[in-house]
């Protein structure tokens, strides 16, 4: 998409003192949100869907890094709704793959497509990074919205395959780090058993292990007394 570059150029113009740059950037974002939303709802392929969601991620990053107002509150709610739709599609895709795996065990069906799994991982990362940007922008005030709209799906990832378990650990780490004190306590308690399970398995699942290490760092720094230094050292030693 050229939209991301166009928005960046307009914001850069505003920072350089050119009149109307930031307003033009916000107007551009607003003008494409509806057609982008329609395209997201039509798209079934992983790579194009990831590209569309990445545009929204770029907008959030730009808003945070440059301190410019690109999304109104209703537009922000629309972005969360698009992300929820993407997670719904992911849940359907995961369920279909589980059915296919069951058929394969019975001598039917095909093995998972590695290229599709890689594309799925990229999409999951985009979703997680988008949630992270929302948390970095809005902190504790956005947590109830995420809990209502997105976290039910993220919670289901903890019992899914490696890609989803790793993505869920990254999401929990972000809630601990950027979601405020109450969220840090709540999600540290949720994350700890899964962190310990991931580091104890030693099954060569590198994505999950890396995500667990990242989450361990977040809860060690922001989880307060729920994770003692001794417990942190013990988990890290594993």
């Amino acid at each position: 998409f050229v939209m991301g570059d166009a928005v960046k150029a307009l914001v850069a113009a505003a920072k350089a003192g050119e009149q109307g740059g930031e307003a033009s950037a916000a107007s551009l974002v607003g003008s494409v949100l509806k057609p982008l939303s329609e395209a997201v709802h039509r798209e079934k392929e992983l790579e194009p869907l990831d590209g569309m969601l990445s545009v929204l991620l770029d907008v959030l990053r730009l808003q945070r890094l440059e301190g410019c107002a690109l999304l109104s509150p209703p537009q922000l709610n629309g972005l969360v709704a698009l992300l929820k739709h993407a997670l719904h599609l992911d849940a359907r895709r995961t369920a279909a793959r589980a059915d296919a795996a069951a058929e394969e065990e019975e001598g039917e069906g095909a093995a998972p497509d590695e290229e599709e799994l890689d594309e799925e991982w990229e999409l999951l990362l985009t979703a997680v990074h988008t949630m992270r940007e929302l948390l970095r922008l809005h902190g504790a005030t956005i947590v109830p919205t995420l809990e209502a709209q997105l976290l039910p799906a993220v919670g289901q990832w903890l019992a899914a395959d490696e890609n989803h378990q790793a993505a869920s650990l990254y999401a929990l780490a972000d809630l601990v780090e950027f979601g405020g004190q109450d969220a840090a306590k709540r999600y540290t308690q949720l994350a700890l058993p899964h962190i310990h399970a991931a580091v104890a398995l030693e099954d060569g699942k590198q994505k999950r292990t890396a995500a667990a290490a990242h989450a361990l760092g977040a809860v060690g720094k922001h989880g307060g007394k729920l994770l003692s230094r001794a417990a942190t050292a013990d988990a890290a030693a594993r």
Side-chain angles (χ1 to χ4, degrees):
F1 284 94
V2 299
M3 178 195 155
D5 291 336
V7 173
K8 291 175 185 177
L10 288 169
V11 171
K15 293 297 178 182
E18 296 183 19
Q19 188 173 2
E22 184 173 325
S24 297
S27 177
L28 175 61
V29 171
S31 68
V32 300
L33 280 180
K34 183 176 180 179
L36 185 62
S37 174
E38 293 171 351
V40 166
H41 280 84
R42 289 194 306 267
E43 187 57 60
K44 299 295 187 266
E45 297 296 325
L46 290 169
E47 190 172 4
L49 182 59
D50 182 43
M52 289 183 243
L53 293 180
S54 294
V55 172
L56 301 175
L57 173 59
D58 286 342
V59 169
L60 289 173
R61 280 180 175 156
L62 198 60
Q63 182 166 309
R64 175 176 60 85
L65 294 173
E66 300 295 343
C68 52
L70 297 175
L71 292 169
S72 66
Q75 290 170 339
L76 191 64
N77 289 336
L79 185 152
V80 172
L82 285 180
L83 204 53
K84 181 179 180 179
H85 174 72
L87 298 189
H88 174 69
L89 290 180
D90 173 77
R92 290 173 55 185
R93 190 168 50 250
T94 303
R97 188 162 61 239
D99 291 341
E103 291 181 0
E104 185 184 3
E105 290 181 0
E106 297 175 358
E108 304 175 10
D113 185 297
E114 290 300 324
E115 182 178 354
E116 179 180 330
L117 291 177
D118 289 341
E119 291 177 353
E120 178 184 81
W121 174 239
E122 293 300 321
L123 181 60
L124 289 172
L125 285 181
T126 298
V128 169
H129 292 162
T130 303
M131 285 186 272
R132 178 181 300 163
E133 287 300 321
L134 289 168
L135 285 163
R136 295 184 75 173
L137 275 166
H138 302 284
T141 60
I142 198 75
V143 171
T145 299
L146 298 183
E147 288 178 332
Q149 301 296 324
L150 305 179
L151 293 188
V154 174
Q156 293 178 357
W157 293 354
L158 290 165
D161 56 27
E162 183 197 6
N163 280 353
H164 289 84
Q165 289 179 28
S168 67
L169 287 170
Y170 283 124
L172 291 176
D174 292 335
L175 285 159
V176 170
E177 185 169 358
F178 303 114
Q181 188 174 13
D182 290 342
K185 293 178 180 179
R186 190 160 63 252
Y187 288 103
T188 289
Q189 291 177 317
L190 176 60
L192 276 176
H194 298 283
I195 293 171
H196 286 299
V199 298
L201 283 175
E202 298 181 354
D203 56 0
K205 302 291 187 181
Q206 295 181 355
K207 292 175 185 174
R208 184 171 59 201
T209 301
H214 175 79
L216 180 63
V219 299
K221 185 175 181 179
H222 302 280
K225 297 179 181 180
L226 290 173
L227 187 64
S228 66
R229 291 182 179 179
T232 304
D234 177 65
R238 298 184 188 184

